[in-house]
Amino acid sequence: MPGGQPAGDPSGKQPEIKPRLKNCERAIGLAERYLNVPAIISPGDMSSAELDELSCITYLSYFMKYNGPGYRATLERVRQMVPDMAVHDFEDTWKDGFLLCALVQAAGGKLDGTVDVTPSTHAQRVSNIRKALKAASRLGVSSLVSADDIADPLSDHLGVMALSAALCSFVTPQNDEQITTECLQSQQVNLDLAFSEGNEVDIDELDVVVIGPSGKAYEESEIQLQKSRTINGAVLSIIPVEVGLHKEILTNSFGYRFEFSIDRFNPFFGKVKS
């Protein structure tokens, strides 16, 4: 090649392989440790540009299989959105369309006409589902499966689960309970974290963002952040430098929030006195 540059890269720079491999190693390790997803693909293969589609899909299918981590997480989101409904699965519970109509309404959708609460025929069930799908489409959510497919007693969970996940994205789970504490300015305050049994977190992988009342996100050195492991979890220590309400947000090192790893995962609020 002219100038000795590798083909396909006019800058002559080699692709960064190591960060990709490291990210894949961590992701596959976390999935196996916390979500029981078997590492059927190696980090080297996952990070490779030659990764074949079938291998990738096969691995990802473990997240979405019946009663897998994606299945359970989406089911919990649905339960939060329709707390008065009995939501047991993504199969039989949805066949009459009543639950789907309730979920669409919880996401902000408007149904045309009334919903048949006790549909006794296949046609009535399909009618309910069509009303839900039409209202969902007005929200910008399209179903991968038809109303007839959803009503089919033999259909699997994937289509309904995908539709439910899309509808759940319209609402962010809220929790009115806040963990609060008070301290004096320039005084150390300790925040205790309790981990669920079997879901311990490596505190070195736990990122902490502290936002002061002015909206500034502080560097760890500015607030003298310390993370210490305890028998039941961990302790975070900071020394606030501003007066007012502070917010502390916990994420893992990728920036994703792992609700399964901490019993009470709300952001921590602390009021600093002068």
Side-chain angles (χ1 to χ4, degrees), residues 208-257:
V208 182
V209 178
V210 177
I211 302 174
S214 64
K216 175 183 177 180
Y218 284 99
E219 298 289 338
E220 293 186 4
S221 59
E222 293 181 280
I223 53 174
Q224 301 181 47
L225 172 67
Q226 297 181 25
K227 296 180 284 187
S228 305
R229 195 73 170 87
T230 64
I231 295 177
N232 297 320
V235 172
L236 304 178
S237 301
I238 64 171
I239 299 180
V241 295
E242 278 189 275
V243 175
L245 191 67
H246 287 61
K247 180 167 67 173
E248 189 158 335
I249 302 173
L250 310 178
T251 65
N252 83 317
S253 56
F254 289 122
Y256 297 115
R257 301 186 179 199

Side-chain angles (χ1 to χ4, degrees), residues 11-23:
S11 68
K13 295 181 180 179
Q14 294 291 339
E16 292 288 338
I17 300 297
K18 188 172 291 186
R20 292 200 313 233
L21 179 60
K22 184 177 180 181
N23 287 343

Side-chain angles (χ1 to χ4, degrees), residues 180-193:
T180 60
T181 186
E182 290 187 348
C183 70
L184 296 174
Q185 186 180 12
S186 300
Q187 175 189 27
Q188 179 173 299
V189 59
N190 298 322
L191 303 173
D192 293 319
L193 304 178

Side-chain angles (χ1 to χ4, degrees), residues 187-204:
Q187 175 189 27
Q188 179 173 299
V189 59
N190 298 322
L191 303 173
D192 293 319
L193 304 178
F195 300 144
S196 303
E197 184 176 355
N199 285 327
E200 291 79 7
V201 171
D202 185 345
I203 61 172
D204 292 330

Side-chain angles (χ1 to χ4, degrees), residues 37-136:
V37 174
I40 62 170
I41 189 170
S42 71
D45 288 337
M46 178 64 83
S47 62
S48 172
E50 304 299 323
L51 174 66
D52 66 283
E53 187 177 78
L54 181 59
S55 296
C56 185
I57 290 175
T58 301
Y59 176 67
L60 295 178
S61 69
Y62 281 89
F63 292 87
M64 300 178 289
K65 70 176 184 177
Y66 174 78
N67 209 32
Y71 186 101
R72 296 192 302 271
T74 306
L75 202 61
E76 182 58 32
R77 288 294 307 276
V78 172
R79 288 169 177 159
Q80 292 175 6
M81 289 188 66
V82 286
D84 296 329
M85 306 287 290
V87 187
H88 304 298
D89 52 45
F90 286 113
E91 293 82 29
D92 295 341
T93 311
W94 302 78
K95 301 301 182 185
D96 62 5
F98 184 69
L99 176 56
L100 184 57
C101 286
L103 181 60
V104 170
Q105 287 180 309
K110 304 296 183 182
L111 300 174
D112 294 332
T114 59
V115 178
D116 195 330
V117 179
T118 56
S120 57
T121 67
H122 179 76
Q124 290 172 331
R125 291 190 285 271
V126 170
S127 177
N128 276 352
I129 296 171
R130 283 176 177 161
K131 290 176 182 177
L133 296 184
K134 186 175 181 180

